[in-house]
Amino acid sequence: TLVAGALQVYIVVVAFDLLDQGEAGVGYLNSAVGVGALLGGILTLSLAGVRRLSPPFALGVLGWGVPLILLGAWPEFAVALVLLAIVGAANSVVDVAGFTLVQRAVPDDVLARIFGIIQMLSLLSLGLGALLAPAVVGTAGIQWALAAAGGFLVVLVALFWTRLARIDATAPPPPPEELRILAS
């Protein structure tokens, strides 16, 4: 969510300074994220009943990071639309896989508190990302800022993959009878 907050600032800078698309460019880039999120939402239907959610979660985080790195290296408008659509799709996968994994891994009696903490930390880091983004752009430039944000996510996946996979392996899968009810 730190990167998501920064991206809201970066999209404006990308549209105006990097791609020279002005106000309309901001709208198009944000729309690309939205279209990607919609397509990603459809894609997440395939996660229903999946035993292991850490691989889609990690791929979703990489689906945020790698496109940002590529956008910093390949600043063309059509490419930016595709890359930001991938970010939107990846965001849907991260949300569904991540929140489902939390529900599987956390005991029901503390789940509401955990979700409260997650929501609070998400909002704080979203705001922090938006607050830090102008300083990063001012210091390093937008292309390096995009690459740094994307690289940060790639490094996080590398650092926490083992721990995430271990949590996922110990989390019980949903009961098959509940999945049948949902599917019906």
Side-chain angles (χ1 to χ4, degrees):
T1 54
L2 182 83
V3 174
L7 183 60
Q8 294 308 306
V9 175
Y10 293 164
I11 283 177
V12 175
V13 179
V14 166
F16 277 92
D17 295 346
L18 192 59
L19 302 175
D20 199 30
Q21 295 293 315
E23 292 175 11
V26 174
Y28 284 120
L29 295 176
N30 275 313
S31 295
V33 174
V35 168
L38 180 62
L39 296 173
I42 295 167
L43 174 69
T44 61
L45 294 174
S46 68
L47 296 178
V50 169
R51 172 67 181 109
R52 297 279 185 242
L53 291 170
S54 55
F57 180 80
L59 286 173
V61 175
L62 292 174
W64 261 87
V66 173
L68 293 179
I69 293 168
L70 292 173
L71 180 56
W74 195 2
E76 293 184 27
F77 187 63
V79 172
L81 292 173
V82 171
L83 293 173
L84 289 175
I86 292 169
V87 167
N91 189 64
S92 294
V93 172
V94 165
D95 281 351
V96 170
F99 285 117
T100 304
L101 184 55
V102 169
Q103 291 176 61
R104 288 183 185 177
V106 173
D108 287 345
D109 60 327
V110 295
L111 190 58
R113 284 179 271 173
I114 296 298
F115 273 122
I117 291 168
I118 289 171
Q119 187 67 24
M120 178 195 64
L121 292 173
S122 293
L123 292 172
L124 285 172
S125 61
L126 195 68
L128 184 60
L131 186 66
L132 293 174
V136 175
V137 170
T139 302
I142 185 60
Q143 289 177 278
W144 283 107
L146 289 165
F152 172 70
L153 294 174
V154 171
V155 168
L156 281 179
V157 170
L159 288 175
F160 291 104
W161 168 251
T162 303
R163 185 178 300 167
L164 178 63
R166 190 170 40 248
I167 291 169
D168 192 14
T170 61
E177 63 276 1
E178 289 180 15
L179 287 175
R180 278 193 297 279
I181 292 169
L182 261 166
S184 70

